mmCIF file of all heavy atoms in Angstrom:
data_model
loop_
_atom_site.group_PDB
_atom_site.id
_atom_site.type_symbol
_atom_site.label_atom_id
_atom_site.label_comp_id
_atom_site.label_asym_id
_atom_site.label_seq_id
_atom_site.Cartn_x
_atom_site.Cartn_y
_atom_site.Cartn_z
ATOM 1 N N TYR A 1549 -28.058 18.427 1.439
ATOM 2 C CA TYR A 1549 -27.123 18.473 2.589
ATOM 3 C C TYR A 1549 -26.982 19.809 3.283
ATOM 4 O O TYR A 1549 -26.466 19.888 4.401
ATOM 5 C CB TYR A 1549 -25.776 17.954 2.170
ATOM 6 C CG TYR A 1549 -25.307 18.652 0.831
ATOM 7 C CD1 TYR A 1549 -24.694 19.948 0.868
ATOM 8 C CD2 TYR A 1549 -25.484 18.103 -0.378
ATOM 9 C CE1 TYR A 1549 -24.328 20.599 -0.362
ATOM 10 C CE2 TYR A 1549 -25.120 18.743 -1.600
ATOM 11 C CZ TYR A 1549 -24.567 19.993 -1.575
ATOM 12 O OH TYR A 1549 -24.213 20.610 -2.721
ATOM 13 N N CYS A 1550 -27.448 20.842 2.558
ATOM 14 C CA CYS A 1550 -27.022 22.210 3.040
ATOM 15 C C CYS A 1550 -28.044 22.908 3.818
ATOM 16 O O CYS A 1550 -29.219 22.956 3.450
ATOM 17 C CB CYS A 1550 -26.746 22.943 1.711
ATOM 18 S SG CYS A 1550 -26.114 24.631 2.128
ATOM 19 N N GLY A 1551 -27.614 23.495 4.939
ATOM 20 C CA GLY A 1551 -28.469 24.096 5.960
ATOM 21 C C GLY A 1551 -29.184 25.408 5.417
ATOM 22 O O GLY A 1551 -30.065 25.803 5.975
ATOM 23 N N GLN A 1587 -18.631 35.140 -0.214
ATOM 24 C CA GLN A 1587 -19.379 33.898 -0.469
ATOM 25 C C GLN A 1587 -20.858 34.119 -0.043
ATOM 26 O O GLN A 1587 -21.169 34.767 0.906
ATOM 27 C CB GLN A 1587 -18.789 32.728 0.410
ATOM 28 C CG GLN A 1587 -19.443 31.450 0.162
ATOM 29 C CD GLN A 1587 -18.766 30.290 0.936
ATOM 30 O OE1 GLN A 1587 -19.066 29.986 1.997
ATOM 31 N NE2 GLN A 1587 -17.754 29.670 0.160
ATOM 32 N N SER A 1618 -17.583 33.443 -4.563
ATOM 33 C CA SER A 1618 -18.078 32.143 -4.402
ATOM 34 C C SER A 1618 -19.628 32.205 -4.230
ATOM 35 O O SER A 1618 -20.107 32.215 -3.147
ATOM 36 C CB SER A 1618 -17.411 31.466 -3.152
ATOM 37 O OG SER A 1618 -17.903 30.250 -2.841
ATOM 38 N N LEU A 1640 -15.951 27.306 -6.618
ATOM 39 C CA LEU A 1640 -17.223 26.565 -6.986
ATOM 40 C C LEU A 1640 -16.929 25.042 -6.745
ATOM 41 O O LEU A 1640 -16.386 24.394 -7.640
ATOM 42 C CB LEU A 1640 -17.702 26.789 -8.326
ATOM 43 C CG LEU A 1640 -19.096 26.097 -8.736
ATOM 44 C CD1 LEU A 1640 -20.252 26.870 -8.065
ATOM 45 C CD2 LEU A 1640 -19.233 26.171 -10.218
ATOM 46 N N ARG A 1641 -17.307 24.503 -5.566
ATOM 47 C CA ARG A 1641 -17.066 23.107 -5.375
ATOM 48 C C ARG A 1641 -17.895 22.335 -6.258
ATOM 49 O O ARG A 1641 -19.008 22.601 -6.453
ATOM 50 C CB ARG A 1641 -17.437 22.748 -3.934
ATOM 51 C CG ARG A 1641 -16.421 23.334 -2.871
ATOM 52 C CD ARG A 1641 -16.663 22.560 -1.604
ATOM 53 N NE ARG A 1641 -15.810 23.047 -0.611
ATOM 54 C CZ ARG A 1641 -15.892 22.686 0.748
ATOM 55 N NH1 ARG A 1641 -16.898 21.848 1.052
ATOM 56 N NH2 ARG A 1641 -15.040 23.010 1.588
ATOM 57 N N GLU A 1643 -18.618 19.276 -5.746
ATOM 58 C CA GLU A 1643 -19.429 18.514 -4.744
ATOM 59 C C GLU A 1643 -19.167 17.017 -4.906
ATOM 60 O O GLU A 1643 -18.996 16.341 -3.868
ATOM 61 C CB GLU A 1643 -20.879 18.856 -4.693
ATOM 62 C CG GLU A 1643 -21.246 20.318 -4.609
ATOM 63 C CD GLU A 1643 -20.794 20.966 -3.317
ATOM 64 O OE1 GLU A 1643 -20.142 20.426 -2.444
ATOM 65 O OE2 GLU A 1643 -20.969 22.294 -3.244
ATOM 66 N N ARG A 1663 -22.623 21.997 -13.551
ATOM 67 C CA ARG A 1663 -21.706 22.442 -12.573
ATOM 68 C C ARG A 1663 -20.292 22.332 -13.058
ATOM 69 O O ARG A 1663 -19.530 23.226 -12.848
ATOM 70 C CB ARG A 1663 -21.902 21.651 -11.158
ATOM 71 C CG ARG A 1663 -21.403 22.320 -10.020
ATOM 72 C CD ARG A 1663 -21.959 21.986 -8.804
ATOM 73 N NE ARG A 1663 -21.463 22.719 -7.657
ATOM 74 C CZ ARG A 1663 -22.067 23.830 -7.131
ATOM 75 N NH1 ARG A 1663 -23.178 24.269 -7.640
ATOM 76 N NH2 ARG A 1663 -21.480 24.380 -6.125
ATOM 77 N N GLY A 1680 -13.979 21.434 -5.407
ATOM 78 C CA GLY A 1680 -13.859 20.715 -4.122
ATOM 79 C C GLY A 1680 -15.042 19.885 -3.833
ATOM 80 O O GLY A 1680 -16.053 19.920 -4.587
ATOM 81 N N PHE A 1681 -15.004 19.190 -2.816
ATOM 82 C CA PHE A 1681 -16.023 18.295 -2.436
ATOM 83 C C PHE A 1681 -16.073 18.023 -0.919
ATOM 84 O O PHE A 1681 -15.108 18.296 -0.203
ATOM 85 C CB PHE A 1681 -15.867 16.921 -3.218
ATOM 86 C CG PHE A 1681 -14.491 16.335 -2.879
ATOM 87 C CD1 PHE A 1681 -14.393 15.360 -1.898
ATOM 88 C CD2 PHE A 1681 -13.405 16.637 -3.766
ATOM 89 C CE1 PHE A 1681 -13.175 14.709 -1.684
ATOM 90 C CE2 PHE A 1681 -12.184 15.953 -3.447
ATOM 91 C CZ PHE A 1681 -12.071 15.018 -2.502
ATOM 92 N N MET A 1682 -17.232 17.447 -0.461
ATOM 93 C CA MET A 1682 -17.341 17.080 0.896
ATOM 94 C C MET A 1682 -16.859 15.638 1.043
ATOM 95 O O MET A 1682 -17.052 14.781 0.152
ATOM 96 C CB MET A 1682 -18.841 17.143 1.380
ATOM 97 C CG MET A 1682 -19.385 18.544 1.377
ATOM 98 S SD MET A 1682 -21.137 18.583 1.799
ATOM 99 C CE MET A 1682 -21.788 17.908 0.305
ATOM 100 N N GLY A 1711 -13.791 19.298 2.969
ATOM 101 C CA GLY A 1711 -14.046 19.264 4.349
ATOM 102 C C GLY A 1711 -15.081 18.143 4.636
ATOM 103 O O GLY A 1711 -15.749 17.681 3.634
ATOM 104 N N PRO A 1712 -15.185 17.675 5.808
ATOM 105 C CA PRO A 1712 -16.041 16.589 6.103
ATOM 106 C C PRO A 1712 -17.521 17.061 5.952
ATOM 107 O O PRO A 1712 -17.853 18.236 6.223
ATOM 108 C CB PRO A 1712 -15.777 16.238 7.572
ATOM 109 C CG PRO A 1712 -15.293 17.472 8.132
ATOM 110 C CD PRO A 1712 -14.471 18.161 7.034
ATOM 111 N N PHE A 1713 -18.315 16.115 5.461
ATOM 112 C CA PHE A 1713 -19.760 16.413 5.547
ATOM 113 C C PHE A 1713 -20.149 16.382 6.960
ATOM 114 O O PHE A 1713 -19.746 15.566 7.795
ATOM 115 C CB PHE A 1713 -20.567 15.264 4.874
ATOM 116 C CG PHE A 1713 -22.020 15.167 5.173
ATOM 117 C CD1 PHE A 1713 -22.886 16.128 4.774
ATOM 118 C CD2 PHE A 1713 -22.521 14.171 6.038
ATOM 119 C CE1 PHE A 1713 -24.210 16.075 5.078
ATOM 120 C CE2 PHE A 1713 -23.833 14.172 6.429
ATOM 121 C CZ PHE A 1713 -24.687 15.094 5.988
ATOM 122 N N VAL A 1714 -20.992 17.441 7.390
ATOM 123 C CA VAL A 1714 -21.506 17.605 8.743
ATOM 124 C C VAL A 1714 -22.963 17.694 8.625
ATOM 125 O O VAL A 1714 -23.476 18.655 7.863
ATOM 126 C CB VAL A 1714 -20.915 18.750 9.437
ATOM 127 C CG1 VAL A 1714 -21.289 18.899 10.927
ATOM 128 C CG2 VAL A 1714 -19.361 18.830 9.382
ATOM 129 N N PRO A 1715 -23.774 16.853 9.226
ATOM 130 C CA PRO A 1715 -25.209 16.903 9.128
ATOM 131 C C PRO A 1715 -25.773 18.360 9.485
ATOM 132 O O PRO A 1715 -25.237 18.971 10.471
ATOM 133 C CB PRO A 1715 -25.789 15.880 9.957
ATOM 134 C CG PRO A 1715 -24.664 15.155 10.590
ATOM 135 C CD PRO A 1715 -23.342 15.788 10.130
ATOM 136 N N ALA A 1716 -26.758 18.746 8.756
ATOM 137 C CA ALA A 1716 -27.417 20.012 9.067
ATOM 138 C C ALA A 1716 -28.906 19.869 9.354
ATOM 139 O O ALA A 1716 -29.598 19.197 8.598
ATOM 140 C CB ALA A 1716 -27.238 20.951 7.872
ATOM 141 N N ALA A 1753 -15.103 23.476 8.195
ATOM 142 C CA ALA A 1753 -15.839 22.097 8.541
ATOM 143 C C ALA A 1753 -14.791 21.154 9.240
ATOM 144 O O ALA A 1753 -15.233 20.425 10.245
ATOM 145 C CB ALA A 1753 -16.384 21.422 7.377
ATOM 146 N N TYR A 1786 -25.206 31.838 9.010
ATOM 147 C CA TYR A 1786 -24.637 31.124 7.791
ATOM 148 C C TYR A 1786 -24.323 29.716 8.161
ATOM 149 O O TYR A 1786 -23.237 29.364 8.176
ATOM 150 C CB TYR A 1786 -23.410 31.967 7.289
ATOM 151 C CG TYR A 1786 -23.069 31.671 5.732
ATOM 152 C CD1 TYR A 1786 -23.723 32.279 4.856
ATOM 153 C CD2 TYR A 1786 -22.074 30.676 5.567
ATOM 154 C CE1 TYR A 1786 -23.389 31.972 3.484
ATOM 155 C CE2 TYR A 1786 -21.753 30.413 4.190
ATOM 156 C CZ TYR A 1786 -22.461 31.036 3.148
ATOM 157 O OH TYR A 1786 -22.236 30.831 1.838
ATOM 158 N N LEU A 1788 -24.287 26.385 7.168
ATOM 159 C CA LEU A 1788 -24.361 25.232 6.232
ATOM 160 C C LEU A 1788 -24.516 23.991 6.786
ATOM 161 O O LEU A 1788 -25.070 23.050 6.311
ATOM 162 C CB LEU A 1788 -23.032 25.279 5.360
ATOM 163 C CG LEU A 1788 -22.660 26.647 4.767
ATOM 164 C CD1 LEU A 1788 -21.243 26.476 4.054
ATOM 165 C CD2 LEU A 1788 -23.678 27.069 3.714
ATOM 166 N N TYR A 1789 -23.981 23.832 8.071
ATOM 167 C CA TYR A 1789 -24.160 22.584 8.844
ATOM 168 C C TYR A 1789 -24.125 22.931 10.312
ATOM 169 O O TYR A 1789 -23.869 24.127 10.707
ATOM 170 C CB TYR A 1789 -22.926 21.717 8.552
ATOM 171 C CG TYR A 1789 -21.596 22.427 8.480
ATOM 172 C CD1 TYR A 1789 -20.879 22.688 9.739
ATOM 173 C CD2 TYR A 1789 -21.134 22.897 7.331
ATOM 174 C CE1 TYR A 1789 -19.718 23.373 9.694
ATOM 175 C CE2 TYR A 1789 -19.875 23.651 7.345
ATOM 176 C CZ TYR A 1789 -19.229 23.857 8.534
ATOM 177 O OH TYR A 1789 -18.049 24.452 8.529
HETATM 178 N N1 LIG B 2037 -21.490 19.795 5.574
HETATM 179 C C1 LIG B 2037 -20.283 20.117 5.074
HETATM 180 N N2 LIG B 2037 -20.067 20.933 4.114
HETATM 181 C C2 LIG B 2037 -21.213 21.511 3.503
HETATM 182 N N3 LIG B 2037 -21.373 22.365 2.521
HETATM 183 C C3 LIG B 2037 -22.738 22.551 2.343
HETATM 184 N N4 LIG B 2037 -23.379 21.952 3.241
HETATM 185 C C4 LIG B 2037 -22.437 21.168 4.013
HETATM 186 C C5 LIG B 2037 -22.657 20.295 5.077
HETATM 187 N N5 LIG B 2037 -23.811 19.878 5.553
HETATM 188 C C6 LIG B 2037 -20.281 22.813 1.694
HETATM 189 C C7 LIG B 2037 -20.573 22.522 0.194
HETATM 190 C C8 LIG B 2037 -20.568 23.962 -0.428
HETATM 191 C C9 LIG B 2037 -19.677 24.730 0.607
HETATM 192 C C10 LIG B 2037 -19.922 26.188 0.527
HETATM 193 O O1 LIG B 2037 -20.098 24.221 1.844
HETATM 194 O O2 LIG B 2037 -19.454 21.815 -0.343
HETATM 195 O O3 LIG B 2037 -19.957 24.029 -1.653
#
Side-chain angles (χ1 to χ4, degrees):
Y1549 46 84
C1550 185
Q1587 185 173 91
S1618 179
L1640 181 72
R1641 289 193 179 176
E1643 309 299 356
R1663 200 154 184 98
F1681 57 91
M1682 292 176 289
F1713 162 73
V1714 184
Y1786 199 79
L1788 304 177
Y1789 46 81

